[in-house]
Amino acid sequence: MTTIQLTTLIHAPIKACFDAARSVDAHLSSAAGTHEKVVAGRMTGLFETGDIVTWEARHLGIKQRLTVEISRMIEPTFFEDKMLKGAFKSMRHKHHFLEENGSTIMTDVFEYETPFGILGVLFDKLYLDNYMRKFLQTRNFHLKELLERV
């Protein structure tokens, strides 16, 4: 299993950061480079516990679908989404929020397993880990820009 942990300091209140991180619209605009869209589930607004959404995007030159469930939520400090169906063997994304001195520390813990045994592990080490890290960093930078602009 691969774990990517990213911490982003956002100069905005915790509730605003929490809501932006669970916003369908903010996610779509942050993932514009992969032509991401919702093909099933909540199409707009804020995700809630139990929501199931299927995303379609182009990654590695291939159109892919990923179905996730918002499995846990403790507003405004935590939510988690986990893969129900997709290219990973398993995937879980934990979103943590901590308010400190009027700013918010947003921490992502993204865990996944690749399929295809040793070939999947090799692909992860050579390419996928870095690709996913950059994808998440782009998303977080987009949220930071969006929230600090206000």
Side-chain angles (χ1 to χ4, degrees), residues 96-146:
H96 299 269
F97 304 84
L98 176 66
E99 193 162 38
E100 194 171 281
N101 300 323
S103 293
T104 302
I105 300 167
M106 182 176 74
T107 303
D108 290 274
V109 179
F110 187 79
E111 304 167 321
Y112 65 91
E113 287 182 274
T114 56
F116 309 120
I118 192 70
L119 291 176
V121 171
L122 185 61
F123 176 67
D124 185 37
K125 297 283 185 228
L126 294 175
Y127 185 78
L128 187 60
D129 182 304
N130 190 50
Y131 178 85
M132 292 309 304
R133 186 174 303 277
K134 286 181 180 176
F135 182 79
L136 293 169
Q137 286 170 332
T138 298
R139 175 188 173 276
N140 290 356
F141 181 74
H142 178 80
L143 290 177
K144 180 177 175 67
E145 270 195 330
L146 178 73

Side-chain angles (χ1 to χ4, degrees), residues 4 8 16 25 28-29 31 44 59 67 77 86 122 124 128 132 149:
I4 297 171
T8 306
D25 304 307
L28 290 171
S29 63
T44 190
H59 293 281
T67 302
T77 60
L122 185 61
D124 185 37
L128 187 60
M132 292 309 304
R149 217 179 324 155

